[in-house]
Amino acid sequence: MFILKNALKPLQEAFSSSNLGRDRGYWFSYTILAFIIPFTSSISSNIFRCINTLFGLNVNKRRFYAFMASNKIPWNKLWPTLWNMIPDPLCDGRLLL
């Protein structure tokens, strides 16, 4: 899991450097981890439980749902970061799918 956490660092850096921006980046990475780990289904209430129980974070329910519904997530920075994190799909000149 630590490898995944370190892989999500570039996504955290897409958020602003303010205290709230750092919090959002931190929560975003743990939300992505909660989606990836096969602990439960990806319903938002289960993601909230996973973050609090499995990761041991003390996230207020209201703040979590406000974060999930936020329009402050910098998708315009996150998508290019995500695409750049995907390794080159070519292997010996062939496209791997």
Side-chain angles (χ1 to χ4, degrees):
M1 184 164 101
F2 292 112
I3 293 170
L4 288 174
K5 187 177 174 184
N6 291 335
L8 295 174
K9 279 282 190 206
L11 296 176
Q12 289 180 1
E13 293 170 1
F15 288 82
S16 71
S17 60
S18 68
N19 287 337
L20 187 57
R22 282 192 298 273
D23 284 346
R24 287 182 181 140
Y26 188 68
W27 290 355
F28 184 80
S29 65
Y30 275 102
T31 302
I32 296 297
L33 284 176
F35 281 121
I36 294 171
I37 294 174
F39 176 71
T40 185
S41 65
S42 295
I43 299 170
S44 58
S45 61
N46 290 337
I47 297 298
F48 173 73
R49 276 190 226 107
C50 180
I51 288 172
N52 279 328
T53 306
L54 189 62
F55 300 137
L57 299 179
N58 187 15
V59 179
N60 180 304
K61 185 182 269 190
R62 184 176 175 187
R63 290 206 52 194
F64 173 75
Y65 285 109
F67 165 74
M68 292 296 281
S70 175
N71 62 356
K72 301 291 185 187
I73 297 175
W75 291 111
N76 58 339
K77 293 180 184 177
L78 287 170
W79 283 118
T81 304
L82 280 169
W83 282 112
N84 289 331
M85 290 172 68
I86 298 172
D88 187 15
L90 296 178
C91 182
D92 295 328
R94 296 184 188 164
L95 179 62
L96 296 177
L97 299 176

